[in-house]
């Protein structure tokens, strides 16, 4: 079994070093002469002192303690952990994309600007929208931009009474958090028995104080909302706008477009749908796309093409402003651009179709062993629950997830969406083979059986990982969030 | 090119298990008038060979890659050691998701814990989170937190804070009806008289930048005393690279420290991805946005790391979360932790010293050219403003011929400073390059 790795501070030794610097090639002056003495640090910052081989071994050994898409299956629902093509990483490492300062004159960055301009137009086409800003750094950041656009739109029309945003109870946590950060009150809309928005409840909640509805479609149950056209009419007829959370867009690429469904503003997660890696939590990229009537409110700048030259345009007097410095997570855009160019229209559609096929296949293989709260064809993901297993054996979702670790696969998303008790949310993606799906389905079936035959084995899992179940409550109670040198 | 492993035979077998005749049937819940007729209007797919060639062509159109860079203004051309790219190239790190399953995510978790520790060491603060999107959004979220905690609706931001940071603060503040007012500058630093005049018991927070956008060191003790006197939160945006040499903001009373972490091992990359540093004192710990890693033990008593205090976050607390942030800049934070391990206790100070020495050399040379002067008297670290005899935009334009990016023309963001050029120097700039810049400037005088 792999052993834990000491902290980099614990392998530090005074006098060791990895860095080297050129000889100072200008006349040396005393720093105390150049900076006020009061501003100079008295004690050096407690950074580690290690040699280069210490450093490389530390991070290499550490890396071996992690699961990743390149190691094994990662069916984390709503996260779209698809394979990240290597050639895209190479493209993003090209010096021509890395060694450019964001404030260079536009004519010296024509390749970067062209890439951004083209990506804006591809994303608009895929979304069925008119204009795109690439600035938001992540999905939640795109949501906030979209919410602020909705706010700015109503205010520009002097419609100041719209203080609420409607959000289904199946929504991602970022939706209500983004609406609140955008200054709105959140009103939750229940789901109906088929897993979609409860249309009657929506109708009752929708009035002139509502700025808009945030919707994920297919939703977090992996179900396409069949009533989307009715929903669209209800919201629009009362003057609200429709926001599309693109987290689940991998299900519909080239098959159906949010713009055509009537959505007014959306974000995509380039790190989910367009194959850029998740990086252990980031960086992502969350471009926001709008219909033309919302274009005046987009963040600045965007890239425009004029007389054959690409340039950054700041000319948008009604803009919501800036979401971040500079122009967004550019190198993530490079990878997403490369991904879209690789696949083309056929490839994107086929990717979606296989994502949906793979999800339905796993669902059918395991349906007899777990509860399926919404038993219909799913899109790219689905939700099951070990409700009966829990009742009869005491084995919970958490236990099943931890037992899956012993099979070398990452567990599905746990306990989400909140409307399903003991939810397990499974998203296989299109880049997994039938063999992998079978291995996973067999593992889930074996664990379901094991729950009856040897429940303790499941409840005490994992048994093969570098550490066992960790005490999360203890971590919060006895907070230790930085290393301190022992006295 | 696609990345689909399934064969047609696989698909047939799977359809049989599902009990449908075609994949099409799985989409029957999408109303037919919402189905896309025909193909998406995007270019046809490419093979890997064609794609690699195309990407190389696009990259080569960025002529700036071959220029000597003296632009700073929030993004800096520091040397990135080879080890950074090698560690970041480990796909165990870059193909992982957020470490929600700690037993198989110890690499990501432990490296974040190490990162948090290093940021605390540099800033002197009690706690650092696992990263924000960038320095500007970190500053903006600090303002909303400070205003929310104090229940006050005014925020003062020095006009020597990066103009884009100020813009992002306005975007976030506007949604909460927080009034953002700017403090004037005088002689290149915050006008403390103006600050005193604007402070009051309705001010939630004051934001300054150290060194400021013009590269100058602010009178932080004087500012801090005034801010504390008014009971406001003191938010300091730092260039963290300076902290190997300059005193930690905790020493002069910062409550929240934010900063652009790009300088630690991340390329300029046309503006991103970078990472937002955020560190706070104890009072703000439970209101801090973003992920936080804590040390704990497993069921055998073995040490391990987990995400902690998650009840602050959106996936638990939804609309009552401290922020909506979910994805962060984890891989960029990993670059920072590798960079800081490479530089270490000594290196971080020496890199800072070289920046200071070289900037001083260049400033001294420029100040001797007829028609040019150093704009302000305030001490600076690695960046300073120069008053030129002509429009600074013209200076930049002229030096492009010599393959030099001479700096950032301050007239772009600050009315009245059309003749001022902001010049940044890092340890990468050689005497020869700086002498070439001086020669170019001389030619325009």
């Amino acid at each position: 079994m792999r052993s834990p790795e000491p902290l980099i501070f614990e392998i530090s030794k005074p006098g060791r070093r990895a860095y080297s610097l050129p000889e100072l090639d200008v006349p040396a002056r005393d720093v105390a002469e150049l900076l006020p003495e009061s501003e100079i640090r008295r004690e050096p910052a407690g950074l580690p002192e290690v040699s280069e081989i210490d450093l490389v071994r530390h991070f290499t050994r550490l890396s071996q303690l992690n699961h990743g898409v390149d190691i094994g299956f990662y069916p984390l629902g709503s996260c779209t952990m698809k394979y990240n093509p290597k050639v895209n990483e190479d493209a993003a490492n090209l010096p021509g994309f890395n060694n450019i300062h964001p404030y260079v004159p536009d004519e010296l960055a024509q390749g970067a600007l062209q890439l951004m301009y083209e990506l804006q137009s591809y994303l608009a086409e895929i979304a069925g929208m008119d204009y795109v800003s690439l600035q938001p750094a992540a999905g939640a950041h795109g949501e906030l931009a979209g919410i602020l656009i909705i706010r700015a739109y109503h205010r520009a029309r002097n419609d100041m009474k719209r203080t609420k945003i409607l959000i289904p109870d199946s929504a991602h946590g970022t939706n209500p958090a983004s609406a609140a950060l955008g200054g709105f009150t959140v009103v939750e809309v229940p789901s109906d028995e088929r897993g979609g928005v409860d249309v009657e409840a929506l109708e009752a909640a929708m009035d002139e104080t509502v700025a808009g509805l945030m919707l994920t479609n297919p939703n977090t149950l992996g179900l396409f909302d069949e009533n989307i056209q009715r929903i669209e009419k209800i919201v629009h007829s009362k003057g609200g706008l429709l926001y599309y959370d693109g987290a689940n867009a991998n299900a519909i690429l080239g098959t159906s477009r949010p713009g055509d469904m009537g959505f007014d503003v959306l974000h995509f997660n380039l790190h989910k749908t367009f194959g850029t890696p998740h990086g252990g939590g980031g960086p992502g990229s969350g471009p926001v796309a709008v219909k033309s009537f919302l274009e005046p409110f987009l963040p600045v700048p965007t890239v425009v093409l004029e007389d054959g030259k690409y340039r950054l345009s700041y000319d948008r007097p009604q803009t919501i402003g800036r979401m971040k410095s500079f122009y967004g997570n550019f190198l993530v855009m490079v990878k997403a651009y490369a991904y879209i160019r690789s696949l083309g229209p056929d490839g994107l559609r086929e990717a979606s179709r296989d994502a949906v096929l793979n999800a339905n296949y796993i669902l059918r293989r395991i349906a007899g062993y777990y509860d399926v709260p919404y038993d219909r064809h799913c899109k790219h993901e689905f939700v099951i629950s070990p409700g009966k297993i829990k009742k009869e054996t005491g084995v919970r979702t958490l236990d099943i997830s931890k037992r899956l670790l012993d099979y070398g696969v990452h567990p599905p998303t746990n306990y989400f969406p909140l409307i399903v008790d003991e939810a397990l949310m499974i998203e296989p993606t299109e880049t997994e083979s039938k063999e992998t799906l079978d291995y996973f389905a067999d593992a889930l079936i074996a664990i379901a059986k094991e729950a009856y035959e040897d429940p303790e084995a499941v409840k005490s899992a994992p048994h093969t990982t570098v550490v066992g179940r960790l005490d999360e409550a203890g971590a919060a109670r006895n907070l230790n969030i930085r290393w301190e040198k022992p006295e | 090119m696609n990345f689909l492993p399934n064969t047609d035979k696989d698909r047939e077998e799977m359809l049989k298990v599902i009990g449908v005749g075609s994949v099409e049937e799985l989409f029957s819940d999408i109303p037919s008038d919402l189905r896309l007729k025909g193909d998406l209007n995007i270019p046809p797919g490419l093979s890997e060979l064609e794609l690699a060639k195309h990407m190389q062509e696009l990259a080569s159109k960025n002529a700036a890659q071959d220029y000597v860079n003296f632009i700073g203004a929030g993004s800096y051309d520091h040397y990135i050691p080879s080890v950074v790219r090698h560690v970041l190239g480990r796909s165990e790190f870059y193909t992982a998701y957020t470490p929600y399953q700690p037993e198989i995510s110890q690499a990501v978790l432990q490296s974040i814990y190490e990162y948090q520790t290093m940021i605390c060491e540099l800033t002197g603060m009690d706690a650092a989170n696992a990263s924000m999107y960038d320095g500007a959004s970190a500053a903006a979220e600090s303002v909303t937190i400070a205003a929310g905690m104090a229940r006050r609706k005014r925020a003062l931001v020095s006009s020597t804070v990066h103009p884009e940071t100020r813009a992002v603060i306005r975007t976030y503040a506007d949604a909460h009806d927080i009034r953002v007012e700017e403090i004037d500058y005088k002689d290149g630093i915050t006008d403390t008289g103006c600050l005193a005049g604007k402070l009051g018991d309705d001010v939630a927070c004051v934001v300054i930048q150290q060194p400021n956008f013009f590269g100058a060191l602010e009178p932080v003790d004087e500012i801090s005393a005034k801010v504390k006197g008014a009971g406001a939160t003191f938010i300091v945006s730092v260039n963290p690279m300076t902290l190997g040499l300059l005193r930690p903001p905790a020493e002069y009373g910062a409550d929240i420290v934010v900063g652009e972490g790009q300088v630690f091992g991340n390329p300029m990359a046309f503006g991103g991805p970078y990472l937002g540093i955020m560190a706070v004192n104890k009072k703000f710990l439970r209101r801090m946005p973003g992920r936080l890693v804590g040390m704990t033990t497993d069921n055998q008593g073995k040490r391990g790391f987990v995400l902690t205090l998650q009840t602050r976050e959106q996936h638990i607390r939804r609309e009552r979360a401290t922020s909506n942030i979910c994805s962060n800049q984890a891989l960029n934070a990993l670059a920072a932790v590798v960079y800081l391990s490479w530089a270490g206790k000594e290196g971080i100070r020496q890199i800072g010293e070289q920046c200071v020495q070289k900037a001083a050399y260049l400033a001294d040379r420029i100040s001797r050219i007829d028609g040019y002067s150093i704009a302000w008297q305030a001490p600076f670290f690695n960046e300073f403003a120069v008053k030129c005899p002509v429009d600074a935009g013209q200076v930049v334009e002229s030096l492009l011929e010599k393959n030099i990016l001479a700096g950032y023309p301050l007239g772009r963001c600050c009315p009245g400073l059309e003749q001022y050029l902001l010049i940044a120097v890092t340890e990468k700039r050689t005497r020869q390059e700086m002498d070439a810049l001086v020669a170019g400037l001389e030619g325009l005088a």
Side-chain angles (χ1 to χ4, degrees):
Chain A
M1 198 191 294
R2 292 159 299 181
S3 54
E5 174 66 17
L7 289 161
I8 189 105
F9 306 99
E10 292 165 338
I11 59 171
S12 169
K13 186 172 179 184
R16 287 230 169 100
R17 57 155 72 173
Y19 78 96
S20 63
L21 279 172
E23 285 289 318
L24 186 66
D25 60 357
V26 299
R29 289 168 67 182
D30 188 355
V31 171
E33 188 190 306
L34 300 171
L35 295 171
E37 208 195 322
S38 64
E39 294 309 317
I40 294 178
R41 182 170 201 127
R42 290 186 301 271
E43 287 290 318
L47 298 180
E49 295 173 89
V50 295
S51 63
E52 184 165 323
I53 189 169
D54 296 335
L55 186 161
V56 168
R57 283 193 180 145
H58 173 70
F59 288 103
T60 305
R61 286 180 183 154
L62 204 51
S63 75
Q64 291 173 331
L65 308 183
N66 228 87
H67 190 73
V69 173
D70 282 5
I71 297 167
F73 193 34
Y74 219 128
L76 203 50
S78 270
C79 301
T80 314
M81 298 299 287
K82 61 171 80 177
Y83 173 68
N84 315 119
K86 298 302 165 199
V87 64
N88 302 353
E89 297 300 308
D90 294 346
N93 281 333
L94 290 170
F97 292 132
N98 283 268
N99 301 341
I100 34 173
H101 191 284
Y103 287 152
V104 301
D106 290 345
E107 64 266 27
L108 300 186
Q110 284 294 300
L113 291 169
Q114 181 184 340
L115 184 148
M116 291 172 69
Y117 179 83
E118 299 291 353
L119 184 59
Q120 285 172 187
S121 69
Y122 301 161
L123 294 176
E125 168 67 10
I126 293 165
M129 307 297 262
D130 300 313
Y131 291 93
V132 169
S133 162
L134 301 170
Q135 198 173 86
H141 207 213
E143 288 177 22
L144 178 61
I147 284 294
L148 293 176
I149 288 168
I150 290 173
R151 186 173 185 270
Y153 162 79
H154 290 304
R155 294 196 159 213
R157 303 169 76 238
N158 214 15
D159 187 351
M160 311 299 277
K161 61 191 176 301
R162 295 184 186 267
T163 55
K164 298 180 204 157
I165 292 281
L166 304 183
I167 298 174
D169 56 6
S170 61
H172 298 113
T174 50
N175 289 183
S178 298
L181 195 61
F184 288 101
T185 307
V186 174
V187 178
E188 199 169 87
V189 182
S191 301
D192 67 13
E193 72 285 355
R194 280 184 60 76
V197 172
D198 182 330
V199 176
E200 275 160 34
L202 173 68
E203 204 146 23
M206 186 66 216
D207 62 24
E208 272 76 34
T209 65
V210 173
L213 168 74
M214 294 181 90
L215 197 66
T216 313
N217 195 21
N219 64 18
T220 59
L221 298 164
L223 302 174
F224 190 88
D225 204 310
E226 306 143 308
N227 297 319
I228 181 62
Q229 289 155 308
R230 280 180 69 195
I231 293 167
E232 184 268 326
K233 282 199 182 67
I234 292 167
V235 175
H236 278 156
S237 69
K238 296 271 173 65
L241 299 185
L242 273 103
Y243 184 92
Y244 182 88
D245 175 345
N248 291 350
N250 204 44
I252 57 161
L253 298 174
T255 293
S256 187
R257 306 192 304 172
D260 299 335
M261 297 175 205
F263 287 94
D264 304 297
V265 50
L266 64 75
H267 82 269
F268 279 131
N269 301 71
L270 300 189
H271 48 293
K272 297 181 181 179
T273 312
F274 299 102
T276 78
H278 287 66
S285 176
V288 61
V290 296
K291 292 277 173 66
S292 55
F293 74 100
L294 293 175
E295 184 276 337
F297 309 107
L298 277 180
V300 283
T302 49
V303 183
V304 296
L305 174 62
E306 275 172 6
D307 306 327
K309 296 275 179 209
Y310 300 92
R311 67 173 185 86
L312 291 161
S313 167
Y314 292 82
D315 182 21
R316 194 170 284 131
Q318 288 181 284
T319 176
I320 58 165
R322 270 191 170 279
M323 295 303 296
K324 70 184 295 296
S325 306
F326 310 120
Y327 325 120
N329 282 342
F330 174 70
L331 294 179
V332 181
M333 299 173 205
V334 171
K335 297 176 197 181
Y337 172 90
Y339 180 81
I340 293 171
R341 290 303 309 262
S342 288
L343 270 68
D346 299 341
L348 288 179
R349 191 179 50 241
E350 286 157 9
S352 259
R353 293 166 71 90
D354 269 14
V356 170
L357 176 66
N358 283 359
N360 279 286
Y361 177 68
I362 300 178
L363 173 60
R364 275 314 128 213
R365 282 227 42 214
I366 62 176
Y369 302 88
Y370 291 86
D371 302 354
V372 182
Y374 301 93
D375 199 0
R376 47 188 262 217
H377 293 321
C378 63
K379 293 275 101 44
H380 66 305
E381 68 187 4
F382 62 94
V383 174
I384 57 166
S385 163
K388 182 161 169 283
I389 294 173
K390 184 183 161 198
K391 206 163 16 166
E392 292 172 0
T393 70
V395 166
R396 310 170 56 216
T397 281
L398 182 74
D399 305 318
I400 292 165
S401 293
K402 297 303 181 197
R403 189 70 175 115
L404 275 168
L405 299 177
D406 294 328
Y407 287 85
V409 299
H410 195 287
T413 299
N414 289 184
Y415 298 102
F416 186 82
L418 306 175
I419 57 173
V420 174
D421 186 40
E422 297 284 324
L424 277 162
M425 184 198 218
I426 299 169
E427 179 181 8
T429 84
E430 70 280 9
T431 57
E432 300 296 337
S433 66
K434 180 171 177 294
E435 287 82 350
T436 301
L437 308 179
D438 280 327
Y439 176 80
F440 175 68
D442 290 342
L444 274 177
I445 293 166
I447 294 169
K449 290 178 180 162
E450 191 179 37
Y452 289 92
E453 290 155 10
D454 185 4
E456 273 318 301
V458 185
K459 287 181 192 173
S460 56
H463 307 288
T464 57
T465 47
V466 65
V467 285
R469 268 192 218 197
L470 288 153
D471 181 3
E472 299 194 21
R477 212 166 36 242
N478 307 307
L479 206 58
N480 175 342
I481 51 177
R482 58 154 301 177
W483 185 78
E484 306 258 11
K485 199 172 180 179
E487 292 302 319
Chain B
M1 173 169 64
N2 65 33
F3 302 92
L4 306 176
N6 283 332
T7 63
D8 285 340
K9 189 164 169 291
D10 291 330
R11 292 190 184 94
E12 262 171 53
E13 287 170 19
M14 290 160 73
L15 287 169
K16 216 172 278 170
V17 171
I18 298 167
V20 294
S22 69
V23 174
E24 197 50 42
E25 281 179 50
L26 300 174
F27 287 90
S28 59
D29 48 2
I30 303 184
S32 60
D33 46 347
L34 297 183
R35 300 289 295 272
L36 186 67
K37 317 283 182 282
D39 284 341
L40 288 169
N41 183 20
I42 58 174
L46 298 173
S47 66
E48 180 169 325
L49 172 60
E50 291 164 308
L51 177 74
K53 197 168 157 226
H54 172 64
M55 296 308 287
Q56 180 59 61
E57 277 165 12
L58 278 178
S60 68
K61 285 189 198 171
N62 296 319
Q65 62 182 308
D66 299 321
Y67 283 56
V68 177
N69 182 56
F70 289 95
I71 313 174
S75 174
Y76 297 89
D77 186 17
H78 289 286
Y79 178 68
I80 300 174
S82 185
V83 287
V84 172
R85 186 150 284 171
H86 284 275
V87 172
L88 262 61
R90 298 283 309 189
S91 66
E92 297 90 335
F93 282 115
Y94 79 76
T95 70
Y97 191 70
T98 304
Y100 287 131
Q101 294 289 340
E103 296 86 350
I104 52 165
S105 307
Q106 286 298 302
V108 170
L109 288 161
Q110 184 173 326
S111 65
I112 294 171
Y113 181 87
E114 293 174 350
Y115 165 84
Q116 290 170 184
T117 303
M118 290 184 195
I119 298 303
C120 288
E121 284 292 338
L122 286 167
T123 59
M125 303 301 282
D126 298 323
N129 73 9
S131 74
M132 306 293 285
Y133 304 134
D134 65 1
S137 70
E141 296 222 28
S142 305
V143 169
T144 59
I145 292 161
M149 275 181 71
R151 298 179 189 279
R152 295 180 180 188
K153 286 289 187 186
R154 282 174 73 211
L156 304 183
V157 181
S158 174
S159 52
T160 63
V161 170
H162 195 297
E164 297 195 4
T165 304
R166 282 183 273 145
V168 179
I169 290 173
R170 281 194 298 273
T171 304
Y172 276 68
D174 183 55
H176 297 271
D177 301 317
I178 300 165
R179 206 161 83 229
V180 178
E181 295 168 41
E182 296 203 350
I183 311 159
D184 299 339
Y185 68 86
K186 195 175 159 188
D187 303 326
I189 54 174
T190 303
D191 180 346
T192 51
C194 178
L195 168 65
K198 286 181 191 274
L199 275 169
D201 59 11
D202 56 346
V203 170
C205 60
V206 175
V207 187
I208 67 151
Q209 182 177 320
Q210 176 78 334
N212 71 23
F213 180 63
F214 302 133
L217 293 185
E218 291 281 354
V220 283
D221 290 306
E222 191 189 343
I223 294 171
S224 180
K226 289 191 162 63
V227 175
K228 304 275 162 181
T233 298
F234 188 27
I235 301 172
V236 181
S237 172
V238 293
N239 171 351
M241 186 62 95
T242 65
L243 296 179
L245 196 53
L246 297 185
R247 70 183 161 139
E251 280 186 18
Y252 50 86
D255 296 301
I256 303 178
V257 176
V258 294
E260 181 47 76
Q262 175 264 335
V263 288
F264 296 146
N266 287 279
M268 296 181 289
F270 207 48
Y274 297 170
L275 70 143
I277 285 171
M278 181 181 277
V280 299
N281 65 24
K282 282 200 179 73
K283 187 181 151 200
F284 291 90
L285 172 62
R286 278 161 209 278
R287 292 300 301 167
M288 184 161 60
R291 296 181 184 134
L292 201 55
V293 170
M295 190 190 278
T296 188
T297 49
D298 74 358
N299 47 7
Q300 309 290 317
K302 242 193 278 179
R303 181 170 79 183
F305 300 89
V306 293
L307 291 174
T308 194
L309 298 187
Q310 293 189 68
T311 50
R312 298 164 298 117
E313 294 187 65
Q314 50 75 29
H315 61 287
I316 309 281
R317 195 54 72 82
R318 298 175 80 83
E319 66 270 21
R320 285 179 298 282
T322 57
S323 167
N324 69 336
I325 191 167
C326 181
S327 283
N328 58 15
Q329 305 287 122
L331 202 65
N332 305 94
L334 179 66
V337 89
V338 175
Y339 180 88
L340 290 169
S341 303
W342 174 82
K345 194 184 239 178
E346 261 308 297
I348 196 71
R349 191 179 55 79
Q350 286 193 14
I351 294 162
E353 280 193 8
Q354 286 218 356
C355 291
V356 171
Q357 301 264 15
K358 291 187 175 196
Y361 169 80
L362 181 59
D364 183 57
R365 293 267 344 246
I366 292 174
S367 68
R368 290 164 199 271
I369 312 172
D370 273 348
Y372 291 87
S373 57
I374 303 306
W376 298 294
Q377 291 304 308
F380 55 87
F381 194 84
N382 68 327
E383 195 163 21
F384 56 91
V386 168
K387 189 175 182 207
C388 307
V390 293
D391 183 282
Q394 280 173 34
V395 173
V396 170
E397 185 72 35
S398 309
L399 280 157
L400 294 180
E401 283 168 27
K402 298 184 189 300
N403 276 22
I404 293 174
L405 292 159
Y408 177 82
L410 284 170
R412 274 216 224 167
C413 63
C414 310
L417 298 184
E418 285 72 18
Q419 274 174 260
Y420 290 73
L421 183 64
L422 186 63
I423 296 175
V425 179
T426 67
E427 76 289 355
K428 262 176 90 172
R429 295 287 75 83
T430 62
R431 181 174 185 157
Q432 201 182 359
E433 290 168 342
M434 292 190 281
D435 290 346
L437 172 62
V438 170
L441 294 175
E442 275 170 341
L444 300 170

